[in-house]
């Protein structure tokens, strides 16, 4: 059996999900780990009982000293996604890159350029892609049941769910709820309709809960990202996307996801995060013989621990893609549009008006 030699860059909270899935794979050997905080990677591997790992102070030292790596899990904080990923690609090492892609569109374009020059690939870390009910959404749209899709409302969020750690500071997180959970909501609907190019965005962000000690305790003093975002986005193909996402708010949801089509509409119950499966059965609204009908679409494979099983599928997909030599099933050509929308929301919110999304030639 081939042993995939894997390195992990960044050994914080999200790396726990990566290593937990890797340890279930008998064909994986964790050979290297890097973290900017001295001793952190060593304690991480000790906690999981992984021995024989080489430890490094940063991504460059690791890549320079591990020429036989088959792949890397990129688990750094958001503002450090771009540089280390580019360095891996320059050394032809495949990367499982955690979401969000980057912080800005400019960073994402630099990574995309490096990938195009590389023999390696990026598998973007959107594990909901492997969930059966999420896949069903795409199948329904592609079947033509909805007709031409012309309007989508989507979003989600938590009444109280502001994370801590490096998520909430601009120097490390870069962006807040937009990138942390908003990227999942965007990927769900954009993937379903074929990832059309975003054209313009009118965005809004706020931080009323994150900066208020009443709702965020001692972390309010260092909170410097968004805790709520909303936008009106025009996509190629004459599709409008109405989006909102929250780490904290007073209602229990900013609304369900609804995909409007000329022949039908699909309602997907809102969740607090969209990093797993829909929160309940979906509903198809359509006409049969001139009669308005509603068809309930039950969820499949609803069992405890679905989130962890999705991580297992994501890691296995990464390994299988390494074995095949690509291409990535969650490609940069799609996820750069996801990042462009997030970046556009932030920039539009900062300037206070609609902006055109412009990509580098």
């Amino acid at each position: 059996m081939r042993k995939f030699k894997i390195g992990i860059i960044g050994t914080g909270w999200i790396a726990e999900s990566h290593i937990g899935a890797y340890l279930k794979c008998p064909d994986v050997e964790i050979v290297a780990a890097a973290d900017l905080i001295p001793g952190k990677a060593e304690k991480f591997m000790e906690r999981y009982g992984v021995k024989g790992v080489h430890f490094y102070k940063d991504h460059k030292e690791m890549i320079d000293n591990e020429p036989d790596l088959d792949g890397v899990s990129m688990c750094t904080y958001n503002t450090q996604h771009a540089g280390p990923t580019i360095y891996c690609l320059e050394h032809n090492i495949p990367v499982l890159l955690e979401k969000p892609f980057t912080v800005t569109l400019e960073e994402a374009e630099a990574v995309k350029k490096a990938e195009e020059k590389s023999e390696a690939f990026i598998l973007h870390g959107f594990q909901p892609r492997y969930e059966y009910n999420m896949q069903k959404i795409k199948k329904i749209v592609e079947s033509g049941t909805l007709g031409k899709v012309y309007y989508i409302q989507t979003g989600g969020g938590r009444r109280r769910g502001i994370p801590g750690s490096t998520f909430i500071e601009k120097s490390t997180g870069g962006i807040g709820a937009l990138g942390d959970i908003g990227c999942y909501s965007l990927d769900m609907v954009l993937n379903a309709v074929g990832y059309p190019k975003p054209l313009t965005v009118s965005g809004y962000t706020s931080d009323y809960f994150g900066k208020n000690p009443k709702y965020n305790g001692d972390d309010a003093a260092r909170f410097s990202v968004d805790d709520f975002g909303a936008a009106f986005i025009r996509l190629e193909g004459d599709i409008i996307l109405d989006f909102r996402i929250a780490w904290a708010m007073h209602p229990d949801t900013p609304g369900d996801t609804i995909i409007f089509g000329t022949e039908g509409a699909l309602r997907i119950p809102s969740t607090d995060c969209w990093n797993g499966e829909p929160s309940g059965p979906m509903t198809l609204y359509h006409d049969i013989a001139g009669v308005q009908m509603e068809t309930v679409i039950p969820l499949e494979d609803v069992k405890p621990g679905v989130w962890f099983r999705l991580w297992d599928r994501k890691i296995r997909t990464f390994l299988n893609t390494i074995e095949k030599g690509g291409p990535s099933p969650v490609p940069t050509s799609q996820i750069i549009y996801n990042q462009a929308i997030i970046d556009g929301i932030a920039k539009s919110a900062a300037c206070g008006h609609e902006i055109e999304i412009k990509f580098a030639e």
Side-chain angles (χ1 to χ4, degrees), residues 319-350:
L319 300 174
N320 291 344
T321 307
I322 292 173
E323 183 71 31
K324 293 186 297 183
S328 173
V330 188
T332 298
S333 59
Q334 293 180 352
I335 306 305
I336 197 167
Y337 288 167
N338 188 302
Q339 192 62 46
I341 291 173
I342 292 171
D343 180 67
I345 294 170
K347 288 177 178 174
S348 173

Side-chain angles (χ1 to χ4, degrees), residues 128-330:
R129 290 279 192 108
Y130 311 109
E131 205 279 316
Y132 304 135
N133 296 290
M134 291 291 193
Q135 293 172 356
K136 188 182 294 184
I137 296 168
K138 183 175 176 65
K139 289 177 181 177
I140 290 171
V141 174
E142 290 180 338
S143 74
T145 300
L146 304 185
K148 174 189 161 35
V149 173
Y150 59 91
Y151 179 89
I152 303 168
Q153 68 177 46
T154 192
R158 310 157 181 159
R159 291 188 69 172
R160 299 290 184 273
I162 300 174
S165 186
T166 59
F167 284 90
I168 64 172
E169 294 184 70
K170 197 170 186 64
S171 61
T172 50
I175 44 180
L178 283 176
D180 180 38
I181 56 177
C183 65
Y184 283 137
S185 177
L186 290 171
D187 186 67
M188 175 181 64
V189 294
L190 292 172
N191 184 47
V193 299
Y195 252 100
K197 182 180 180 181
L199 304 175
T200 65
V201 57
S202 180
Y204 169 84
T205 61
S206 63
D207 55 11
Y208 293 120
F209 287 78
K211 287 189 173 180
N212 189 337
K214 177 180 177 181
Y215 302 112
N216 203 23
D218 292 340
D219 278 346
R222 63 186 186 91
F223 193 92
S224 55
V225 293
D226 59 275
D227 62 41
F228 176 82
F232 195 75
I233 304 131
R234 295 184 182 275
L235 306 171
E236 274 190 344
D238 195 26
I239 301 174
I240 296 299
L241 177 57
D242 183 356
F243 166 78
R244 76 290 296 195
I245 201 76
W247 268 343
M249 57 185 169
H250 285 300
D252 59 353
T253 175
D256 291 341
T257 289
I258 308 178
I259 303 176
F260 293 65
T262 56
E263 300 298 324
L266 182 67
R267 180 187 296 273
I268 306 135
S270 180
T271 78
D272 66 356
C273 193
W274 287 119
N275 68 350
E277 63 185 358
S279 60
M282 296 180 280
T283 304
L284 174 65
Y285 300 86
H286 55 143
D287 290 3
I288 298 179
V291 180
Q292 296 176 358
M293 304 289 289
E294 298 178 12
T295 301
V296 176
I297 304 171
L299 297 184
E300 296 180 14
D301 194 37
V302 181
K303 300 175 183 176
V306 64
W307 192 75
F308 295 101
R309 287 185 285 121
L310 293 181
W311 279 87
D312 295 342
R313 294 172 193 167
K314 178 165 77 171
I315 293 298
R316 191 71 255 170
T317 299
F318 183 47
L319 300 174
N320 291 344
T321 307
I322 292 173
E323 183 71 31
K324 293 186 297 183
S328 173
V330 188

Side-chain angles (χ1 to χ4, degrees), residues 14-224:
I14 202 64
E16 296 179 5
S17 298
H18 284 251
I19 196 168
Y22 280 129
L23 291 177
K24 297 176 184 178
C25 302
D27 54 349
V28 166
E29 183 181 2
I30 307 294
V31 299
D35 200 290
L36 297 175
I37 300 175
K40 185 177 179 180
E42 289 86 341
K43 291 180 181 178
F44 179 84
M45 293 299 171
E46 182 180 357
R47 188 162 72 251
Y48 283 91
V50 183
K51 302 182 183 301
V53 179
H54 302 151
F55 299 104
Y56 300 98
K57 64 181 180 181
D58 58 29
H59 67 280
K60 289 185 177 181
E61 186 181 59
M62 188 180 94
I63 300 303
D64 291 347
N65 287 279
E66 297 287 344
D68 297 327
L69 283 174
D70 291 305
V72 163
S73 272
M74 192 65 62
C75 302
T76 60
Y77 40 75
N78 299 346
T79 57
Q80 290 299 308
H81 279 188
T85 298
I86 290 173
Y87 200 73
C88 288
L89 294 170
E90 289 174 342
H91 289 76
N92 297 317
I93 299 173
V95 179
L96 174 51
L97 177 59
E98 260 314 311
K99 58 79 192 170
F101 183 174
T102 54
V103 173
T104 68
L105 176 57
E106 290 77 13
E107 289 176 332
E109 289 179 320
V111 175
K112 184 173 183 290
K113 185 176 180 180
E115 185 181 22
E116 290 168 348
K117 293 180 179 179
S118 177
E119 297 175 7
F121 65 88
I122 300 172
L123 176 63
H124 292 269
F126 287 79
Q127 67 274 1
R129 290 279 192 108
Y130 311 109
E131 205 279 316
Y132 304 135
N133 296 290
M134 291 291 193
Q135 293 172 356
K136 188 182 294 184
I137 296 168
K138 183 175 176 65
K139 289 177 181 177
I140 290 171
V141 174
E142 290 180 338
S143 74
T145 300
L146 304 185
K148 174 189 161 35
V149 173
Y150 59 91
Y151 179 89
I152 303 168
Q153 68 177 46
T154 192
R158 310 157 181 159
R159 291 188 69 172
R160 299 290 184 273
I162 300 174
S165 186
T166 59
F167 284 90
I168 64 172
E169 294 184 70
K170 197 170 186 64
S171 61
T172 50
I175 44 180
L178 283 176
D180 180 38
I181 56 177
C183 65
Y184 283 137
S185 177
L186 290 171
D187 186 67
M188 175 181 64
V189 294
L190 292 172
N191 184 47
V193 299
Y195 252 100
K197 182 180 180 181
L199 304 175
T200 65
V201 57
S202 180
Y204 169 84
T205 61
S206 63
D207 55 11
Y208 293 120
F209 287 78
K211 287 189 173 180
N212 189 337
K214 177 180 177 181
Y215 302 112
N216 203 23
D218 292 340
D219 278 346
R222 63 186 186 91
F223 193 92
S224 55

